[in-house]
Amino acid sequence: MTILANLPYSKVTRWIEENRQFHKELEYEIVLTTERLCTSFDTFLLKEVLDISYRFFSENTGFLYLHTTKGMYSYTVKTNPEHFINQFKQIKHSQKQTK
């Protein structure tokens, strides 16, 4: 299983203690291999991922959407995901050609 691309994403956790709200932003990574797409919380076979899209949100933040057979999953990204998305589409295209 070869890693073809990876993309950092962040997740904010919020909680309340003694009437005060706290938050913590943690960094994770989405990894694209020849067989799977893995996040820190989920793993999808490539045949389960139908499409990947990106929506620009602010100056340096956007949402990456994984459209899967299990539903849509969104991830907050702070880097341009163009290379990651192109790698995914190349793999999907080559898999269709070999069928």
Side-chain angles (χ1 to χ4, degrees):
M1 201 165 37
T2 305
I3 295 176
L4 301 173
N6 54 17
L7 181 68
Y9 71 95
S10 60
K11 183 174 173 78
V12 176
T13 303
R14 293 181 175 86
W15 69 94
I16 297 174
E17 289 180 12
E18 299 177 5
N19 290 330
R20 292 180 54 205
Q21 181 174 342
F22 298 92
H23 72 280
K24 185 175 189 177
E25 183 174 351
L26 298 173
E27 294 288 324
Y28 299 101
E29 190 173 62
I30 303 172
V31 177
L32 176 64
T33 69
T34 52
E35 301 170 2
R36 303 178 150 64
L37 195 146
C38 302
T39 71
S40 296
F41 303 98
D42 298 296
T43 299
F44 305 96
L45 295 174
L46 285 185
K47 66 182 180 182
E48 296 175 328
V49 182
L50 306 172
D51 195 16
I52 298 178
S53 60
Y54 176 72
R55 185 76 149 163
F56 179 73
F57 179 68
S58 67
E59 187 174 317
N60 54 358
T61 304
F63 295 111
L64 183 82
Y65 297 102
L66 294 182
H67 306 271
T68 74
T69 57
K70 299 176 183 178
M72 186 183 71
Y73 295 78
S74 65
Y75 301 91
T76 304
V77 295
K78 295 181 180 179
T79 58
N80 187 342
E82 184 177 352
H83 174 73
F84 187 87
I85 293 171
N86 288 339
Q87 284 291 113
F88 168 78
K89 290 185 178 186
Q90 285 178 359
I91 292 170
K92 290 294 272 192
H93 181 70
S94 66
Q95 286 179 348
K96 285 181 184 178
Q97 299 295 335
T98 59
K99 286 185 179 181

